[in-house]
Each structure stands twice: as C-alpha cells, then as structure tokens.
C-alpha cells in the first residue's frame, strides 16, 4: 500500500512520511525541493526498507493537482493514504500584504487539497480501507488578526474535512483533519514572523515528530479531528465556549503587538 504526502520535504510533512513508512507504507513524496525529497526517499529506503518515489514541482501552480494525481496513479494502483500537508501562512495586516502572495497561499492551502482529493478519491476507493488527512491548524478554530487569511483557509479545510467525512461514511475512506498548534518547523520564517514572536511561540512549540506521531495514530484510528498536545486541545475547546470577540482579542494580543 502507498501513501502520498504533499509538502513532504521538511517539517510536519517529512515527519508524517517517516511515521507512515514505520507503519509499513511505501511513499509518494511531493514538494518543490527535489534534493530534500531525494534525501528523504533514500532515508526511508535504508532505514525502513520501503519504496519512496519523489515528484518535485510547485504545488501552488494551477495545474499541480492534476499533475500529482496523474503521476500518483501511474506509480501504483494501491494508493491507501492521501496526506494534504502542503501549505503556509503569511503574517501581517491583510491590506498591507500583497494580494498575489495571499492568493498564492490560498491556492496552496485550500484549492490544492480540494482538487487533489477530488482527483484521487476514485483511486482511494479501489483499496479495502483508505485514509485522507488534511493538515489544518489550531488557527482553524478562531479568527486570528494578522494571520487573517491563513486562519480562514484552515477553517475552510476543517469544515471541508468534516463534510467530506460524513459523505464518505461507510464508503471505506476515512477523512481526518489534523490541527497542530505551534510546531518547531520553518513555518514562522516562511510567514515572515519576527524574532520576538517566534521566541514566544517556541515556549509552547511541539516537535514535528511528536505532531506526526499523533497525526498518524489518530488517522489510522479514524478520528475526525486530531489536535496534538494538551494545551492545544484546551485552547481549541475554549473557542467553542468563550465569546468570539474575547477570543479574537486574545489572539490579537499575541500576534499583533509584534507587528
């Protein structure tokens, strides 16, 4: 059985790929960085004796989902796991960030997982039990000023995951949504966050490996929503009982004061 992981070259995606290899899956690895993908494929082959095939391309390109789906179905007819991990954030005020860059983020965070899932569901239906994991964020549970579109894109992904999960009930394809909190990856650098904000986040950050272990365990257990870490679970749960205005004020107090 094969698992396809987007954004697999580093961070949570890389760690999820390793977790899946440890559990017996061969891998289809997709990201922009061919060198990093190749190194990961070699590591998986050496340490875990599983095949890992790589495809390097810009996943934000409009035709990326079709290209990935065509490649994946040409590699195997035993695709059992799809991990929609690729994505990034942009930190700053909506009107001050460039629109093209924000649209590129939305393309990667929302449109790619929707299109890729739609394209690969027929293949996933061909195996006895299949899984889809969409990687969102604890930001999906509330609006986050200065991460406004990022949080909105992850809220979309969470809602998409739950709706699709219900539609596929009894069809042999289980859909889960992973919502990690602060994690020690390159996310903050890519988002353009300053050193002070990064230092604050690092105080509560989980490792990518810990997030990935929780993600794969929850995925294979059929959990609808996977929130790694006690603190993250509590903060996400509070958003359902604390008034939205207060939640937004707290989020703004964390992120906006460093702008």
């Amino acid at each position: 059985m094969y698992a396809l992981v987007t954004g697999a070259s580093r961070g949570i995606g890389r760690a999820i790929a390793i977790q899946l290899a440890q559990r017996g899956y061969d891998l289809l690895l997709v990201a922009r960085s061919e060198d990093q993908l190749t190194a990961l494929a070699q590591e998986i082959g050496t340490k875990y004796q599983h095949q890992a095939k790589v495809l390097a391309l810009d996943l934000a390109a409009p035709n990326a989902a079709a290209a990935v789906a065509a490649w994946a179905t040409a590699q195997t007819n035993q695709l059992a796991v799809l991990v929609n991990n690729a994505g990034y954030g942009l930190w700053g005020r909506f009107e001050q960030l460039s629109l093209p860059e924000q649209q590129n983020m939305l393309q990667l965070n929302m449109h790619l997982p929707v299109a890729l899932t739609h394209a690969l569901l027929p293949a996933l239906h061909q195996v006895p039990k299949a899984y889809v994991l969409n990687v969102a964020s604890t930001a999906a549970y509330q609006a986050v000023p200065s991460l406004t579109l990022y949080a909105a894109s992850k809220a979309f992904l969470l809602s998409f995951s739950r709706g699709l999960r219900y539609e596929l009930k009894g069809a042999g394809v289980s859909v889960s949504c992973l919502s990690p909190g602060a994690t020690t990856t390159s996310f903050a650098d890519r988002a353009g966050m300053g050193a002070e904000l990064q230092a604050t986040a690092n105080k509560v950050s989980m490792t990518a490996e810990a997030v990935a272990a929780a993600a794969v365990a929850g995925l294979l257990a059929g959990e609808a929503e996977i929130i790694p870490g006690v603190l993250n679970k509590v903060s996400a749960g509070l958003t359902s009982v604390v008034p939205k205005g207060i939640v937004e004020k707290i989020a703004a107090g964390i992120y906006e004061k460093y702008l």
Side-chain angles (χ1 to χ4, degrees), residues 1-4 25-26 28 72-73 75-81 123-124 126-130:
M1 294 291 179
Y2 272 85
L4 188 155
Y25 288 93
D26 293 318
L28 301 176
T73 52
Q75 304 306 310
T76 181
N77 61 1
Q78 294 291 301
L79 182 65
V81 180
L124 293 169
Q126 298 306 307
V127 299
K129 183 63 180 178

Side-chain angles (χ1 to χ4, degrees), residues 32-43:
R32 284 192 302 179
S33 174
E34 186 168 9
D35 290 347
Q36 290 176 320
L37 288 178
T38 300
L40 176 58
Q42 291 172 346
E43 179 180 344

Side-chain angles (χ1 to χ4, degrees), residues 161-174:
S161 300
R162 292 198 64 94
L164 183 62
R165 176 185 177 86
Y166 195 92
E167 289 184 19
L168 295 175
K169 189 189 303 183
V173 181
S174 177

Side-chain angles (χ1 to χ4, degrees), residues 119-182:
L120 288 177
L121 270 174
L124 293 169
H125 282 302
Q126 298 306 307
V127 299
K129 183 63 180 178
Y131 303 88
V132 175
L133 179 67
N134 293 321
V135 179
S137 164
T138 51
Y141 292 91
Q142 72 278 307
V144 182
S146 78
L147 285 169
T148 297
L149 278 186
Y150 172 74
S153 71
K154 295 305 183 179
F156 168 87
L157 203 56
L158 175 59
S159 183
F160 167 62
S161 300
R162 292 198 64 94
L164 183 62
R165 176 185 177 86
Y166 195 92
E167 289 184 19
L168 295 175
K169 189 189 303 183
V173 181
S174 177
V175 180
S176 300
C177 188
L178 170 67
S179 293

Side-chain angles (χ1 to χ4, degrees), residues 19-71:
Q19 283 286 326
L20 289 167
Q22 290 174 343
R23 290 174 179 263
Y25 288 93
D26 293 318
L27 275 301
L28 301 176
L29 308 172
V30 188
R32 284 192 302 179
S33 174
E34 186 168 9
D35 290 347
Q36 290 176 320
L37 288 178
T38 300
L40 176 58
Q42 291 172 346
E43 179 180 344
I44 288 170
T46 302
K47 286 188 177 180
Y48 309 111
Q49 287 75 55
H50 283 286
Q51 289 191 63
K53 303 177 182 181
V54 306
L55 176 64
L57 84 166
D58 180 3
L59 286 166
N63 64 342
V68 172
W71 173 75

Side-chain angles (χ1 to χ4, degrees), residues 171-196:
V173 181
S174 177
V175 180
S176 300
C177 188
L178 170 67
S179 293
T183 308
T184 50
T185 67
S186 60
F187 173 86
D189 287 333
R190 177 66 182 85
M193 293 178 176
E196 288 182 305

